[in-house]
Amino acid sequence: MVLFEFIRIKYPRRDNLLMNRFDLQAKFMLSGDVSGLKKEFEKFIATTNETILKKGSEKLATIDQYRIEKDTLTLSIASEGTLRPHNALLQIKNALSKELGKTHHVGVRGINIETYTISFDLPREPLKDISIPFASVRIQGKQATMTLSDVSDEFLRRNYIDRMMNLVREKVESQYYEGKAEFWKLIWKSEEKKPVWTKDPTEEMERLGWLKQGPTKGKWFYRPQAATILKTMERIAINEVLQPLGFQEVIESHIKPFDIWLKTGHMEGMPYEFYYISEPKTRDAKDWERFTDLTKITKEVPVEELQKNLSVPTAGLCYAQCPMIYWSFKGKTIAEKSLPVLVYDRTAISARYESGGRHGIERVDEFHRIEPVYIGTREQLLLLREKFLERYKHVFNEIFDLEWQMAWVTPWYLQQAGKISDESTQDTGTIDYEAYMPYRGSRNDSEWLEFQNLSILGDKYITAFNIKAQKSELWSGCSGIGLERWTTAFLAQKGLDPQRWPEGFRKYLDKLPTGTEFL
Amino acid sequence: MVLFEFIRIKYPRRDNLLMNRFDLQAKFMLSGDVSGLKKEFEKFIATTNETILKKGSEKLATIDQYRIEKDTLTLSIASEGTLRPHNALLQIKNALSKELGKTHHVGVRGINIETYTISFDLPREPLKDISIPFASVRIQGKQATMTLSDVSDEFLRRNYIDRMMNLVREKVESQYYEGKAEFWKLIWKSEEKKPVWTKDPTEEMERLGWLKQGPTKGKWFYRPQAATILKTMERIAINEVLQPLGFQEVIESHIKPFDIWLKTGHMEGMPYEFYYISEPKTRDAKDWERFTDLTKITKEVPVEELQKNLSVPTAGLCYAQCPMIYWSFKGKTIAEKSLPVLVYDRTAISARYESGGRHGIERVDEFHRIEPVYIGTREQLLLLREKFLERYKHVFNEIFDLEWQMAWVTPWYLQQAGKISDESTQDTGTIDYEAYMPYRGSRNDSEWLEFQNLSILGDKYITAFNIKAQKSELWSGCSGIGLERWTTAFLAQKGLDPQRWPEGFRKYLDKLPTGTEFL
């Protein structure tokens, strides 16, 4: 699992390179009959084309047709995108009001946008049809034409048009990359290690009563034996990795408001993986009396009555801890001497709706992660990454004695941009750590478990949350330490008998609690 | 705050003492005209009254009126409650079918219940009107009369009637106890201690940047300084209380399905305090395409589209940890040698919708608790309580050097039952720990902070989750350790300067991390 894989796709603005065309037809409602003012309008249109719609010698847009009819003026504005016709409209309205008011005491009562069509080139031909909200989209070859269905003032003001064009382009691109494998390049591989067993550790722990499934899908109850192992992983991560690197602990809320996810891009990236939260509309027992009465009588939850009493969700459960850590620095300017900022959260519990693919404690809906976040200069973070690599290697080799490997992984949009040809240029990107899982089959044919990652993300979140340093340009990154993943990677190779665990691990844990005996 | 105050109100069955009366009118639809069978019916009714509706010489119920009209038989059944008339109906139907079928080839096609009225005595006169679902309630003096509005077969089969009677009684009682103070009796009080300051620790920590409010209501972001203090409280609780007493750690899910809360009574007790959870209806990105498109274009969350994509809530966030610990023992028989079972969870985060009364980090919507749960014999638990008292006293006196007190608190329904007259009989019940909060005013006039509790709950949850021991009768209890409460109680008296903290605490923490400096 890429613990934090989503980065919002951004396209460079290429309007000047591509052939874009914006065509808008608008009707101005006037306060008097202007049929007699043909000459004046001719002049007005010509002037507008030469002033408002031009910048120096550059044509920004053109009124290429107009018609006057009693108390209306209909005009078409075309542009190649430098000035969006709808942005020109208000300026034209003001100029027209001034002109007509002064000389003929006629005012502009309103503007109706009749049609608005935007044609633009695509980087490549789509493989199938594309649709988006608010417009019909027609594509011929590499040319897309969007005809807007909502052309209210407010709609245009909200700057949706460019995002709609981006969305069309993005959908074409994703048709090409759908299902394509992620870029993966081996960096390092440990020697082969003989596993002490080949069983599925979750199944065995369940059988022994160390673990109990539930009570809801993809969640587990860890009895003392399993809980001790998980918490030992936490101690090792803190003692052997985070403290030596100088990280300080923070505690964040595990309830994430949508506005944070809107900033990070999670909201549009994986809304189907969230657990959503609703608050009661009121805390007044009186308003809940029918609910409680029905519950007391029927001993069931009255669902309709519940829904009446709940607010619309505005937050979800923690998906990853880093967004809220960035939020905590929002709008701040960090003193140079505090760089790099090194903090981690180990308190917020992560929830991801997994639907189908659940397995054991390694693919679950609820898991326990430590997430270190680092903010600093490019140089500081590249150096930190080296130290992280060294500390993780120490844990996985000397303490866990694992068979594992490391690989560069890069999402397709970076791959496409040709950023991965040479790993020496891998300033930003993610390293995945993968462990051999003997119960899944032979080391060459079975899928290894991704049990750790390490990312440098450039200035993406720094910009999204407007974080600044006294002087330096900032970058950031994070490294998800999944306790369930560490636990299964270790147990899958080393078994459940502490006697057979490697010496380094036994220094942390050499005896399991007895737990409760059942008849 | 009583961290776990709710216990479902149960009334003793007093039907034999009180004057109850059940009157049911039912119409039997028959397959033929029975007007000619007056004699036969007279005999049938007499026989029924003497057989089905009697047990030995005891009258259970009586058919006190009947009428035959073409193909219908209408009858009234009255009872004082030993046999509910609706429970008698099916037996009467069977007997009638047999009788008429054998001799006259007439069958019973169906039964309509025409009216069903239940009169019962109340322990006292209500102070105002009472209403409940499924019936109209009329009260005269201490006599309540319920006339059912839904009398379908299914409704009657579900055993709602008794719960409805209980609900009416409960509502009368609660009118008397509404707003009444909880029973409170001082057990022990420390000497007065001179506080080092009189400021509100939350406000000061916010001012210093140790804490940041949000991002949602009643939640906090703990920067390294505050996080260190909170986590130190956790270490102290584990090292000084839980480990010496032999507790073992478990890890539970922080997502609680309604069925657990139905068992514990939380669902009917405090539904307006939960944070509710909805899952996506599907995890298929295709089904969420309109949602993601709209989010990408508008940069807002499309609420209607979201609601279409979510399931009805069937779970909520952790309110207290003990219910799920009991669930983990559901239906189990515990070996005698494993008693007492001593486990705690410190991982699940608690969420309570607080609405109005939020203040600082001491009254919040999200908090971090350790909850030890103990299951054992009465003797084991009474002994354990003594040890808990001793360990807590050690922490609050020697490590925190607090000014604090302990009191018995007992909910009104126990108070009413006369169970609190003598504390030597306090086998079950709750002890609250309260700390003087100098920032709130003088020690005599200001409200002290409840910062710890300790309960023995008898067999309530043991029964609810059907937990058994090899031989012994089991009791259980729990003791909520709220880290935010320990923190504010301590800081309110001892201030934020580690130099001025008591020696015992400084052994755990004598220096705070520097945190990040902002410009």
Side-chain angles (χ1 to χ4, degrees):
Chain A
M1 177 170 60
V2 178
L3 291 169
F4 186 72
E5 65 185 315
F6 182 79
I7 298 184
R8 179 166 148 54
I9 296 149
K10 281 225 165 158
Y11 287 85
R13 281 286 301 275
R14 296 197 287 184
D15 301 342
N16 293 329
L17 300 174
L18 296 172
M19 282 299 296
N20 292 335
R21 192 175 159 93
F22 295 73
D23 285 295
L24 178 145
Q25 277 219 330
K27 188 184 271 182
F28 287 71
M29 268 71 67
L30 309 172
S31 66
D33 192 326
V34 292
S35 331
L37 302 175
K38 290 214 164 114
K39 273 257 152 71
E40 285 82 347
F41 270 94
E42 196 172 321
K43 196 181 149 214
F44 174 76
I45 299 295
T47 310
T48 303
N49 272 334
E50 289 303 309
T51 54
I52 295 170
L53 304 182
K54 214 163 172 181
K55 188 179 181 183
S57 64
E58 191 195 358
K59 219 169 221 176
L60 306 174
T62 314
I63 301 173
D64 55 6
Q65 283 184 34
Y66 73 95
R67 191 172 69 238
I68 48 175
E69 228 172 344
K70 289 184 181 163
D71 57 353
T72 63
L73 162 67
T74 309
L75 51 76
S76 298
I77 314 176
S79 109
E80 289 184 358
T82 322
L83 176 64
R84 307 305 202 217
H86 66 272
N87 290 333
L89 263 189
L90 199 70
Q91 285 176 274
I92 296 174
K93 184 196 162 196
N94 290 341
L96 185 64
S97 300
K98 205 169 156 193
E99 188 68 26
L100 290 177
K102 195 173 60 187
T103 52
H104 306 281
H105 304 286
V106 173
V108 180
R109 287 203 167 137
I111 311 177
N112 270 348
I113 294 154
E114 312 272 89
T115 60
Y116 199 1
T117 305
I118 296 140
S119 299
F120 53 102
D121 281 356
L122 299 169
R124 49 181 135 187
E125 279 187 40
L127 305 172
K128 49 187 176 184
D129 282 351
I130 276 167
S131 65
I132 64 165
F134 307 129
S136 66
V137 178
R138 216 178 58 238
I139 299 182
Q140 287 186 303
K142 287 162 107 183
Q143 171 105 68
T145 304
M146 260 177 13
T147 306
L148 268 62
S149 49
D150 181 343
V151 283
S152 68
D153 265 25
E154 206 212 339
F155 180 86
L156 296 174
R157 239 186 299 116
R158 286 188 170 201
N159 197 29
Y160 290 171
I161 308 278
D162 287 83
R163 294 193 200 124
M164 289 162 70
M165 292 165 68
N166 278 340
L167 183 56
V168 171
R169 290 187 187 118
E170 185 187 311
K171 287 192 172 197
V172 174
E173 286 300 289
S174 69
Q175 288 179 356
Y176 280 87
Y177 289 96
E178 241 164 36
K180 265 211 174 179
E182 231 183 22
F183 170 79
W184 186 94
K185 187 173 175 181
L186 189 68
I187 302 173
W188 186 91
K189 200 178 168 77
S190 75
E191 63 199 270
E192 287 188 7
K193 305 253 163 97
K194 193 176 151 44
V196 310
W197 71 341
T198 56
K199 287 192 177 163
D200 180 338
T202 300
E203 276 174 21
E204 279 304 295
M205 286 195 283
E206 239 188 310
R207 199 180 58 74
L208 293 168
W210 297 8
L211 265 184
K212 178 177 161 67
Q213 210 165 6
T216 59
K217 287 169 297 177
K219 326 284 185 319
W220 292 88
F221 187 95
Y222 295 80
R223 293 219 177 88
Q225 301 91 333
T228 301
I229 301 173
L230 216 70
K231 294 287 179 176
T232 301
M233 295 299 173
E234 187 180 68
R235 269 199 300 143
I236 292 173
I238 292 171
N239 290 352
E240 302 285 345
V241 181
L242 298 175
Q243 280 180 354
L245 296 181
F247 276 83
Q248 296 187 349
E249 182 169 5
V250 297
I251 301 175
E252 66 175 57
S253 170
H254 73 313
I255 295 175
K256 314 283 150 156
F258 291 165
D259 53 357
I260 289 184
W261 283 341
L262 282 168
K263 276 208 193 332
T264 56
H266 284 78
M267 202 74 232
E268 62 192 62
M270 58 271 295
Y272 35 81
E273 291 188 32
F274 297 146
Y275 274 76
Y276 290 87
I277 294 172
S278 304
E279 294 175 6
K281 269 187 196 150
T282 84
R283 197 180 179 275
D284 190 340
K286 279 268 166 292
D287 296 321
W288 284 77
E289 191 171 343
R290 190 168 163 78
F291 177 92
T292 50
D293 282 356
L294 288 170
T295 307
K296 282 174 186 173
I297 293 173
T298 65
K299 296 293 166 198
E300 284 168 14
V301 175
V303 173
E304 269 182 46
E305 193 61 31
L306 175 62
Q307 285 181 307
K308 272 188 228 159
N309 285 329
L310 297 184
S311 298
V312 163
T314 56
L317 283 181
C318 181
Y319 181 91
Q321 290 126 300
C322 60
M324 198 174 288
I325 293 181
Y326 290 116
W327 164 87
S328 80
F329 290 103
K330 187 178 141 193
K332 293 282 186 189
T333 303
I334 300 169
E336 213 63 19
K337 67 176 177 188
S338 287
L339 295 180
V341 171
L342 304 173
V343 291
Y344 70 91
D345 175 87
R346 61 168 167 132
T347 304
I349 302 164
S350 300
R352 297 187 187 175
Y353 184 66
E354 280 291 350
S355 174
R358 299 178 185 103
H359 182 84
I361 61 164
E362 64 241 47
R363 183 138 183 191
V364 285
D365 279 42
E366 180 185 44
F367 52 89
H368 303 85
R369 263 184 15 138
I370 310 178
E371 181 146 50
V373 168
Y374 23 96
I375 300 175
T377 64
R378 174 180 169 281
E379 292 66 32
Q380 285 170 337
L381 297 205
L382 294 178
L383 181 64
L384 178 70
R385 179 164 66 192
E386 292 312 308
K387 291 192 208 162
F388 256 118
L389 288 170
E390 184 255 312
R391 295 314 301 172
Y392 284 138
K393 210 170 220 174
H394 163 67
V395 171
F396 305 147
N397 286 341
E398 270 109 70
I399 299 178
F400 293 174
D401 187 33
L402 280 190
E403 179 171 347
W404 63 287
Q405 62 193 17
M406 258 192 308
W408 280 114
V409 291
T410 311
W412 60 263
Y413 54 89
L414 287 182
Q415 189 170 356
Q416 181 205 13
K419 289 199 180 172
I420 48 80
S421 54
D422 175 4
E423 80 202 41
S424 69
T425 66
Q426 281 278 18
D427 282 0
T428 62
T430 296
I431 296 169
D432 270 358
Y433 291 71
E434 300 165 358
Y436 171 44
M437 301 292 274
Y439 83 86
R440 295 184 181 175
S442 87
R443 53 172 56 78
N444 297 319
D445 303 329
S446 68
E447 199 191 346
W448 289 34
L449 180 74
E450 218 183 291
F451 71 106
Q452 174 67 48
N453 64 30
L454 178 59
S455 295
I456 293 185
L457 300 164
D459 64 358
K460 176 179 160 51
Y461 292 125
I462 295 299
T463 307
F465 289 94
N466 188 27
I467 304 168
K468 293 196 168 59
Q470 201 169 353
K471 290 184 204 158
S472 306
E473 298 274 300
L474 292 180
W475 272 17
S476 77
C478 59
S479 179
I481 302 172
L483 302 183
E484 279 85 354
R485 292 293 174 99
W486 278 29
T487 300
T488 32
F490 177 74
L491 297 178
Q493 292 187 24
K494 305 299 175 189
L496 301 184
D497 178 5
Q499 302 293 325
R500 303 183 71 185
W501 287 346
E503 212 39 57
F505 192 84
R506 285 171 56 85
K507 278 185 192 142
Y508 277 93
L509 183 67
D510 63 352
K511 203 167 165 291
L512 291 173
T514 48
T516 306
E517 199 174 299
F518 300 117
L519 297 191
Chain B
M1 179 170 58
V2 178
L3 290 171
F4 187 71
E5 68 187 311
F6 181 79
I7 297 184
R8 176 162 152 56
I9 297 148
K10 281 225 168 159
Y11 288 85
R13 280 287 302 274
R14 296 197 287 184
D15 300 341
N16 293 330
L17 300 174
L18 296 172
M19 282 299 296
N20 293 335
R21 193 176 158 90
F22 295 74
D23 285 297
L24 176 144
Q25 280 221 328
K27 187 182 271 181
F28 287 70
M29 267 72 65
L30 309 171
S31 66
D33 193 326
V34 292
S35 331
L37 303 175
K38 290 216 165 115
K39 274 253 152 73
E40 286 83 347
F41 271 95
E42 197 172 318
K43 197 181 150 216
F44 174 77
I45 299 295
T47 310
T48 302
N49 272 334
E50 288 304 310
T51 54
I52 294 171
L53 304 182
K54 216 165 172 179
K55 189 177 181 182
S57 63
E58 190 195 357
K59 218 172 221 178
L60 305 176
T62 315
I63 300 174
D64 53 8
Q65 284 184 34
Y66 73 96
R67 191 170 70 240
I68 47 174
E69 228 173 341
K70 290 186 181 163
D71 57 353
T72 62
L73 162 69
T74 308
L75 49 76
S76 298
I77 314 177
S79 110
E80 290 184 356
T82 323
L83 176 64
R84 307 306 201 216
H86 66 273
N87 291 333
L89 263 190
L90 199 69
Q91 286 176 271
I92 297 174
K93 184 196 161 199
N94 289 342
L96 184 64
S97 298
K98 207 169 153 192
E99 189 68 24
L100 290 178
K102 196 172 57 189
T103 52
H104 307 280
H105 306 287
V106 172
V108 179
R109 287 205 167 136
I111 311 177
N112 271 350
I113 294 154
E114 312 270 87
T115 60
Y116 199 1
T117 305
I118 297 140
S119 299
F120 53 100
D121 281 356
L122 299 169
R124 48 182 135 185
E125 279 187 40
L127 305 173
K128 51 188 175 184
D129 282 352
I130 276 168
S131 66
I132 63 163
F134 307 128
S136 66
V137 180
R138 216 180 56 238
I139 299 183
Q140 286 185 306
K142 286 161 112 187
Q143 172 106 69
T145 305
M146 261 179 7
T147 306
L148 268 60
S149 48
D150 181 343
V151 283
S152 66
D153 266 25
E154 206 212 339
F155 180 87
L156 296 174
R157 238 184 300 117
R158 286 189 170 198
N159 195 30
Y160 291 170
I161 309 277
D162 287 83
R163 295 193 199 124
M164 288 162 69
M165 293 165 67
N166 278 341
L167 184 56
V168 171
R169 292 189 185 115
E170 184 187 312
K171 287 192 175 198
V172 174
E173 285 300 288
S174 70
Q175 288 178 356
Y176 280 87
Y177 288 95
E178 242 165 37
K180 265 215 175 175
E182 231 183 21
F183 170 80
W184 186 95
K185 185 171 177 182
L186 189 68
I187 302 173
W188 185 91
K189 199 178 168 80
S190 76
E191 61 198 271
E192 287 189 8
K193 306 251 164 98
K194 191 175 151 46
V196 309
W197 72 341
T198 58
K199 288 192 176 164
D200 181 339
T202 301
E203 277 174 20
E204 279 304 294
M205 285 195 284
E206 239 188 311
R207 200 179 58 75
L208 293 168
W210 297 8
L211 265 183
K212 178 179 161 66
Q213 209 164 5
T216 60
K217 288 169 296 178
K219 327 285 186 317
W220 293 89
F221 187 96
Y222 295 81
R223 293 219 177 89
Q225 301 91 335
T228 301
I229 301 172
L230 214 71
K231 293 287 177 174
T232 300
M233 295 300 172
E234 187 182 68
R235 269 199 299 143
I236 293 173
I238 293 170
N239 290 352
E240 303 285 344
V241 181
L242 298 174
Q243 279 180 354
L245 296 180
F247 277 83
Q248 296 186 348
E249 183 168 5
V250 296
I251 301 175
E252 66 175 56
S253 171
H254 72 314
I255 295 175
K256 314 284 152 159
F258 292 165
D259 53 356
I260 288 185
W261 283 341
L262 282 167
K263 277 206 191 334
T264 56
H266 285 77
M267 202 75 231
E268 63 192 58
M270 58 273 293
Y272 34 79
E273 291 187 33
F274 297 145
Y275 274 76
Y276 290 87
I277 294 173
S278 304
E279 294 175 7
K281 269 188 194 148
T282 84
R283 196 181 180 273
D284 190 339
K286 279 269 166 293
D287 296 322
W288 284 78
E289 191 171 341
R290 191 171 161 79
F291 176 92
T292 50
D293 283 357
L294 288 170
T295 307
K296 282 175 187 173
I297 293 173
T298 65
K299 296 293 165 196
E300 283 168 13
V301 175
V303 173
E304 268 182 47
E305 193 61 30
L306 176 62
Q307 284 181 308
K308 270 188 229 162
N309 286 329
L310 296 184
S311 298
V312 164
T314 55
L317 283 182
C318 181
Y319 181 91
Q321 289 126 300
C322 60
M324 198 173 289
I325 292 180
Y326 291 115
W327 164 87
S328 81
F329 291 102
K330 188 178 141 193
K332 293 281 185 191
T333 303
I334 300 169
E336 212 65 20
K337 66 175 178 189
S338 287
L339 295 179
V341 171
L342 305 173
V343 291
Y344 69 92
D345 175 87
R346 61 168 165 132
T347 304
I349 302 164
S350 299
R352 296 187 188 176
Y353 185 66
E354 280 291 350
S355 175
R358 298 179 186 104
H359 181 85
I361 62 165
E362 64 242 47
R363 182 140 184 190
V364 285
D365 279 43
E366 180 185 44
F367 51 92
H368 303 86
R369 264 183 15 134
I370 310 177
E371 180 145 53
V373 168
Y374 24 97
I375 300 175
T377 64
R378 174 180 169 281
E379 293 66 32
Q380 286 170 335
L381 297 203
L382 294 178
L383 180 64
L384 179 70
R385 180 164 64 191
E386 292 312 308
K387 290 192 208 163
F388 257 119
L389 287 170
E390 184 253 310
R391 294 315 301 171
Y392 285 137
K393 209 171 222 177
H394 163 67
V395 172
F396 304 148
N397 286 342
E398 271 109 71
I399 298 177
F400 293 174
D401 187 34
L402 279 191
E403 180 170 347
W404 63 287
Q405 63 194 17
M406 259 191 309
W408 279 115
V409 292
T410 311
W412 61 262
Y413 57 89
L414 286 182
Q415 190 169 354
Q416 181 204 11
K419 290 200 179 170
I420 49 80
S421 54
D422 177 3
E423 78 201 45
S424 69
T425 65
Q426 281 278 17
D427 283 359
T428 62
T430 297
I431 295 170
D432 270 358
Y433 291 73
E434 300 165 358
Y436 171 45
M437 301 293 273
Y439 84 86
R440 294 183 183 176
S442 85
R443 52 174 56 76
N444 297 320
D445 303 331
S446 68
E447 197 191 347
W448 290 33
L449 180 75
E450 217 184 292
F451 71 106
Q452 176 66 49
N453 65 31
L454 177 60
S455 296
I456 293 185
L457 300 164
D459 65 357
K460 176 180 158 52
Y461 292 123
I462 296 298
T463 308
F465 289 93
N466 188 28
I467 305 168
K468 294 196 166 60
Q470 202 171 353
K471 292 186 205 156
S472 307
E473 298 274 300
L474 292 180
W475 273 17
S476 77
C478 58
S479 180
I481 303 172
L483 302 183
E484 278 85 353
R485 291 292 173 100
W486 277 30
T487 300
T488 33
F490 178 75
L491 297 178
Q493 291 187 24
K494 304 300 175 188
L496 302 184
D497 178 4
Q499 303 292 327
R500 305 182 69 185
W501 287 345
E503 211 41 53
F505 192 84
R506 284 170 57 81
K507 278 187 193 139
Y508 277 93
L509 183 67
D510 63 353
K511 202 167 167 290
L512 290 173
T514 48
T516 305
E517 199 175 298
F518 299 118
L519 296 192

